[in-house]
Each structure stands twice: as structure tokens, then as C-alpha cells.
Amino acid sequence: MEGEEGEDEIVCLDESFFINDNYQLTNFTFGSQVIQLFCLHSASTDYDLTGQLVWPGAMLLNDYLSKNAEMLQGCSVIELGSGVGITGILCSRFCHDFVLTDHNDEVLKILKKNIELHASPENPNCCTGLVAEKLEWGNIDQINQILQNYAGGFDLVLGADICFQQSSIPLLYDTVKHLLQIRGKGRCKFILAYVSRTKIMDSLVINEAIRHGLKITEVAGTRSVVGNLDGTIFEITLQ
């Protein structure tokens, strides 16, 4: 019809177009610990699926924890933004309970697949006490649902390379503060493996912690280069 020539056609794409699920079984070594899990070696086109990869901050955190495994002994731990679960699987070899969380349903699928892989009796490093839960930062209902099974809270809160979007940082600290307050001052801490990508985020991560009434301290000797980026470990506690 006249007047319609040259108009852009509307193309509707199924959400599967954005999802890459070509996971590969990959080996990772941290000290004496060898972990095998499914992950992507390249990202999906959807930025919200960053959890399908193993990011530099996870390598930094796992190296730190493998060298300080005594801090995990007998502990109950929750991780925020667990992705494919590489940190939880390592920690479950030392701690009592480990709750892995992510907000994305596609990421939760591969997370649960990796838990099943390591919970198998055929696995010589069979891990117990691993649980995956959906958690969107700032969602108190989801936090409380998790706490129904862990009424006493957790000894440690972990996060690795989870600071990407500026808008998510206040929600991250809302969640962290809620979890820290269950045990009270001095009885729970948040260990954050942070990788620097922008100066704005560097400032935001520190300033938002302070604004939330939290104390943030860089762990001495943890600053290093990971994936050509500067990384460090922060310990964050109630003031």
C-alpha cells in the first residue's frame, strides 16, 4: 500500500534468542582444591545473565578463602549473586551449610545443575549442605523466606564481583545489613571480592556502605590484579 514502503518491520524475538546455554564442564583449581562445574566461556547477549560466567572476582574470592579455610570451618554461609556456584561449591567442603542465591531464573537453572553435579555420591568430593534459593536484593519477603530455615542467621555473607550496576548497590547493602543484624554486631560479616572497573563504582561501594551504617575495611594483602583489573577483598560489618 502507498506510504508503507520503507517502513521498518517489527520483529518479535523469543527470549531464547538472548540466552546462550552452551555450558561447558570446566576445571578450576584453588590451592589443593579442584572444582569441576558447568559454565559459559562467553556471555549471553542479555546483560542480566552475567551469572552464567565465572568472573575474575570469584577467582579472587576463592583464592582468598582457600588460603583461609579455617574461617569457614563449621560455619553457616549465604552468598549473594552466586552465579554458577563456584564459591559455594568450594566453601561447602569446609562449612556446615551454604545457601547460594541469585535473582535470575536462567542462572538458577545452571546453579542447581552444578549443585546436583557435586551432590552426586559418585563425586569423590561430594558436597552436602548446598542449597540454591531465589533472592532479589532488597526483597524482604524472599530474605525472610530463606531465614525460615536459618532462623539464627548466618556466620558469613559472601559476594564476588557483584557490583556492576549503580542502581543495585543500595539494594545490595539493604540486603547485607538485614542479614548482618540477625546475628548482631561482631557475630557476622560480609566478605566482598571487589573488582574495580569504574571510579564511580569504586566510590559508590564505599560510600553506600557508610551510608547504611556499615564499616568497610580492605583486607591487608589482598589487593591484586585479576583479569587485567585491580581487585581486593573488603570486610564489611555493623558499626
Side-chain angles (χ1 to χ4, degrees):
M1 295 176 60
E2 187 177 351
E4 291 185 357
E5 291 183 8
E7 289 187 3
D8 292 334
E9 292 184 9
I10 297 174
V11 178
C12 296
L13 297 175
D14 185 87
E15 64 177 8
S16 62
F17 174 82
F18 299 97
I19 298 173
N20 176 3
D21 58 3
N22 184 28
Y23 299 108
Q24 299 177 48
L25 198 57
T26 308
N27 287 332
F28 297 89
T29 302
F30 304 99
S32 63
Q33 300 295 318
V34 179
I35 295 173
Q36 189 177 59
L37 50 70
F38 292 101
C39 64
L40 290 186
H41 291 188
S42 60
S44 293
T45 53
D46 186 343
Y47 77 92
D48 200 34
L49 291 170
T50 53
Q52 295 174 305
L53 298 168
V54 173
W55 288 88
M59 305 298 286
L60 174 65
L61 182 58
N62 280 23
D63 281 335
Y64 173 71
L65 293 173
S66 67
K67 293 172 184 174
N68 297 275
E70 67 279 357
M71 75 167 62
L72 300 168
Q73 294 291 343
C75 287
S76 179
V77 185
I78 185 170
E79 184 184 16
L80 307 178
S82 297
V84 294
I86 191 168
T87 296
I89 290 167
L90 172 69
C91 292
S92 68
R93 297 178 179 177
F94 305 99
C95 63
H96 183 262
D97 292 302
F98 199 104
V99 180
L100 305 99
T101 70
D102 209 283
H103 78 283
N104 185 281
D105 290 333
E106 189 65 29
V107 174
L108 282 167
K109 289 179 186 177
I110 187 60
L111 177 56
K112 291 176 179 178
K113 183 176 182 179
N114 280 327
I115 289 175
E116 290 172 5
L117 176 68
H118 284 267
S120 169
E122 289 80 29
N123 190 323
N125 294 307
C126 180
C127 302
T128 59
L130 278 172
V131 177
E133 300 283 358
K134 183 168 184 171
L135 177 57
E136 186 173 358
W137 299 342
N139 189 319
I140 297 301
D141 289 339
Q142 290 179 354
I143 295 172
N144 288 337
Q145 189 163 353
I146 291 171
L147 290 170
Q148 285 181 6
N149 295 322
Y150 303 89
F154 299 91
D155 299 297
L156 292 172
V157 182
L158 302 181
D161 224 340
I162 54 176
C163 302
F164 288 98
Q165 294 176 281
Q166 294 180 43
S167 60
S168 72
I169 303 305
L171 297 173
L172 169 62
Y173 282 123
D174 287 346
T175 303
V176 168
K177 187 172 184 179
H178 189 90
L179 292 168
L180 295 181
Q181 286 176 329
I182 295 164
R183 285 281 175 95
K185 186 176 179 179
R187 299 187 62 198
C188 179
K189 60 185 175 183
F190 174 41
I191 300 176
L192 174 66
Y194 178 73
V195 175
S196 175
R197 292 181 174 86
T198 67
K199 292 188 181 299
I200 292 175
M201 188 62 79
D202 295 350
S203 299
L204 188 62
V205 165
I206 293 172
N207 293 338
E208 275 298 318
I210 296 169
R211 191 177 74 81
H212 278 76
L214 302 172
K215 180 182 178 181
I216 181 167
T217 306
E218 182 176 333
V219 178
T222 61
R223 186 169 288 272
S224 61
V225 176
V226 286
N228 297 319
L229 298 169
D230 290 329
T232 193
I233 303 289
F234 287 116
E235 281 193 3
I236 299 164
T237 56
L238 294 173
Q239 287 276 24

